[in-house]
Amino acid sequence: MCLGFGGGCATIELVEWGGLGHVSSSNGFLWGSSTSGPQTEGRLAQDGKGDNLWDYWYRIEPNRFYQGQGPDKTSTFYEHWEEDLDLLLETGHTAFRTSIQWSRIFPEGRGEINQAGVDFYRRVFEKIKEKGIHLLVNLYHFDLPMALQEQGDGWENKETAYAYQEYARFCFKTYGDLVDQWITFNEPIVPVEFGYFYDAHFPHKVDAAAAVKVAYHTQLASSLAVKACHEVDPNYRIGIVLNLTPAYPRSQHPADVKAARIAELFQAKSFLDPSVLGHYPEELVEILRERDLLPDYDPFELRLIEENTVDYLGVNYYQPLRVAAPRYAPNPASPLLFEQFYEPYVMPGRKINPHRGWEIYEQGLYDIAQNIKENYGNIEWILTENGMGVEGEEKFRKDGVIQDDYRIDFVKDHLRELHRAIQDGANCKGYLIWTFIDCWSWLNGYKNRYGLVELDLESQKRTLKNPAIGLKN
Ligand code: BG6
């Protein structure tokens, strides 16, 4: 299999397959993978970690999780981190992204510190740096400490943004010497959409006013963290990770085009514009104002958002967002949902990942790059997630090893588009695959496997899959 990036400083050429392994990092391009604390670490009785939303929800409604698989064990990284980190080099990483669990450091969200948790991350990050790997650390991957939900309504309460800033500041001071790039939030629109519009994540409210508050307070928290980060050290670099797929309209009919524009406002620009440009898109503000949904804000906060934009962007890309104008007028008595503005469009003849059901559209990556270049000052960015989930991956096992050539093809095809984008001026500085070792996923448990390394759930044994073995040789 022949693919990879290599070559000189400014250009990146497709050369032989080395996947993440034999690529030249001399040009500084980062190669590696992303994961998160809540999806890998697991808990031990004596580890001192507090509950987050997921720990709590799993306890009260385990039936809502795929095959009853919850966040309690995940991939036992908390116990196996040393052997896992050895695999980073074996799989050719030059960069690695994970997240700190807020509830491991501050079990109650604020106040008393769990020293065991603080020491754990210190040891892990030190080891990663010893290996010469570029470290990206995310501060929040959907995992609010439950105490803040119980005592203060979570992100509906502005105080949560300030509690988050305290936590973030603590992390910058404690680990700033080890972390190369910080991230405030991963895909902050997801908890808004799934937790407050659709009954998919805890606290599963269906309440547009609450959703808007949560989104605004999350943005405020992100800007507060950027501020704290630069106060701790002006040289520290901090960004936000967003899912930036363009919204593609079904047709050029004005109603479809409008639907796509609004979808993009909600799904991408709601965080992209304030994070990079320092202000909200006027059309989004108007839509909210007309429906009396504007959150409580004051000019001081808007100035803070304006003055504390990110240093770089992380972009997650799996599949495109295709939309059409809604077919039906909304029932005035039903709660306000995205469907009142646009509905998903399933394009006939789309290319599909049959093992996950998601569309594959590599060109989306090029379009994202062009959008960042043309509308967001060509800010530096890293592809922080891209990957192929496969259900029932054991059926591809041959001679004891998962032969995931389909994953190599998926990566290769996306890298071609990224390469084209970079040639056309995209300011992309790295590619991180989702994910390193098969990990637990929110509602899907271990159904869809994404890893370079296979995890045996019974024995917790780690086994390199096919391309990872290729990287080794
Ligand atoms: C990303 C999230 O959007 O999708 C990850 O940041 C998640 O946390 C990944 O695991 C894959 O999702 P799924 O549902 O296919 O496991």
Side-chain angles (χ1 to χ4, degrees):
M1 183 56 60
C2 290
L3 190 77
F5 285 96
C9 285
T11 56
I12 291 184
E13 305 158 35
L14 293 177
V15 288
E16 73 195 274
W17 166 252
L20 308 176
H22 300 298
V23 293
S24 155
S25 51
S26 61
N27 60 8
F29 197 84
L30 302 172
W31 295 93
S33 68
S34 284
T35 191
S36 78
Q39 294 179 265
T40 56
E41 290 169 9
R43 294 179 78 171
L44 292 180
Q46 68 279 18
D47 68 11
K49 182 182 152 344
D51 275 355
N52 62 34
L53 298 184
W54 296 88
D55 300 315
Y56 173 79
W57 186 25
Y58 180 61
R59 206 165 42 248
I60 59 168
E61 286 189 300
N63 51 302
R64 294 199 57 174
F65 292 71
Y66 175 75
Q67 289 188 347
Q69 291 165 350
D72 47 340
K73 191 166 162 200
T74 64
S75 315
T76 56
F77 179 78
Y78 192 77
E79 296 157 270
H80 292 105
W81 62 273
E82 283 188 275
E83 68 174 272
D84 286 356
L85 295 185
D86 287 342
L87 286 171
L88 284 178
L89 288 184
E90 242 182 289
T91 47
H93 284 67
T94 65
F96 182 58
R97 166 193 158 208
T98 187
S99 76
I100 293 175
Q101 295 199 68
W102 184 351
S103 55
R104 193 179 287 291
I105 306 253
F106 292 100
E108 297 293 311
R110 61 200 321 177
E112 207 173 316
I113 285 164
N114 170 32
Q115 195 56 44
V118 175
D119 296 345
F120 166 70
Y121 290 115
R122 178 102 214 148
R123 282 196 299 273
V124 171
F125 296 166
E126 275 174 357
K127 183 63 87 183
I128 292 172
K129 293 317 293 172
E130 262 172 51
K131 292 180 183 298
I133 288 170
H134 186 96
L135 176 62
L136 297 97
V137 173
N138 173 24
L139 292 166
Y140 191 91
H141 205 118
F142 312 162
D143 56 330
L144 184 74
M146 188 59 203
L148 295 178
Q149 185 69 36
E150 264 173 336
Q151 295 155 21
D153 246 354
W155 288 108
E156 282 181 70
N157 186 339
K158 201 173 278 182
E159 262 308 298
T160 299
Y162 290 92
Y164 169 88
Q165 188 191 29
E166 280 171 37
Y167 150 67
R169 191 186 296 278
F170 176 87
C171 292
F172 303 140
K173 285 185 177 164
T174 310
Y175 308 116
D177 57 324
L178 299 170
V179 174
D180 295 293
Q181 285 178 265
W182 289 99
I183 294 162
T184 60
F185 286 85
N186 176 77
E187 297 183 0
I189 193 67
V190 169
V192 174
E193 185 179 356
F194 289 176
Y196 293 86
F197 277 113
Y198 300 97
D199 175 26
H201 284 188
F202 193 81
H204 38 77
K205 291 192 176 177
V206 178
D207 181 342
V212 172
K213 265 194 221 170
V214 167
Y216 176 62
H217 295 157
T218 307
Q219 178 59 52
L220 182 61
S222 179
S223 305
L224 284 164
V226 171
K227 183 170 189 290
C229 184
H230 292 148
E231 279 167 3
V232 171
D233 189 326
N235 296 316
Y236 287 175
R237 306 198 59 234
I238 185 157
I240 187 166
V241 167
L242 302 175
N243 186 334
L244 288 186
T245 169
Y248 297 100
R250 169 182 53 185
S251 74
Q252 288 307 306
H253 187 286
D256 284 345
V257 171
K258 182 177 176 201
R261 200 178 63 244
I262 295 181
E264 219 164 273
L265 278 178
F266 287 168
Q267 296 283 348
K269 293 185 175 180
S270 52
F271 285 98
L272 178 62
D273 284 24
S275 293
V276 177
L277 305 177
H279 55 79
Y280 281 97
E282 196 42 50
E283 190 177 3
L284 177 62
V285 175
E286 264 319 300
I287 289 172
L288 300 179
R289 185 177 288 129
E290 278 165 15
R291 289 159 182 80
D292 203 17
L293 286 172
L294 280 183
D296 205 14
Y297 66 93
D298 73 38
F300 160 78
E301 293 160 1
L302 297 186
R303 206 165 47 249
L304 188 126
I305 290 171
E306 195 183 332
E307 288 170 358
N308 293 283
T309 53
V310 291
D311 301 319
Y312 74 97
L313 269 178
V315 175
N316 292 353
Y317 179 66
Y318 291 89
Q319 57 173 339
L321 173 65
R322 296 192 190 277
V323 298
R327 276 164 300 171
Y328 307 108
N331 168 1
S334 75
L336 182 109
L337 295 173
F338 289 169
E339 280 86 352
Q340 297 191 7
F341 301 94
Y342 59 89
E343 53 184 54
Y345 173 59
V346 179
M347 186 181 77
R350 71 205 178 283
K351 180 171 160 189
I352 204 102
N353 163 10
H355 316 296
R356 172 71 178 85
W358 280 356
E359 182 179 346
I360 298 177
Y361 184 63
E362 301 86 352
Q363 196 194 311
L365 206 44
Y366 183 86
D367 296 342
I368 288 171
Q370 288 297 103
N371 182 30
I372 295 174
K373 191 174 107 184
E374 283 161 17
N375 303 312
Y376 295 91
N378 209 14
I379 186 172
E380 180 180 319
W381 60 281
I382 293 172
L383 188 61
T384 39
E385 283 183 36
N386 176 235
M388 188 173 174
V390 174
E391 185 175 353
E393 198 167 35
E394 58 283 354
K395 63 177 169 279
F396 295 108
R397 189 187 312 283
K398 208 171 141 214
D399 302 327
V401 174
I402 304 273
Q403 304 290 338
D404 56 350
D405 296 343
Y406 41 81
R407 185 166 286 116
I408 298 176
D409 289 342
F410 179 96
V411 172
K412 180 178 72 175
D413 293 343
H414 282 84
L415 287 179
R416 281 211 183 88
E417 283 301 300
L418 189 57
H419 171 59
R420 188 161 75 88
I422 291 170
Q423 279 185 320
D424 288 349
N427 196 7
C428 177
K429 301 294 187 195
Y431 177 93
L432 307 182
I433 196 171
W434 186 269
T435 187
F436 172 35
I437 299 174
D438 291 336
C439 70
W440 176 81
S441 176
W442 319 106
L443 303 178
N444 292 321
Y446 279 91
K447 180 166 72 175
N448 306 310
R449 301 300 186 106
Y450 284 86
L452 295 173
V453 178
E454 181 194 359
L455 177 76
D456 182 309
L457 294 188
E458 286 302 309
S459 63
Q460 289 290 308
K461 186 166 172 262
R462 282 83 162 129
T463 310
L464 298 180
K465 295 181 194 174
N466 176 21
I469 283 178
L471 299 174
K472 230 172 92 177
N473 299 328

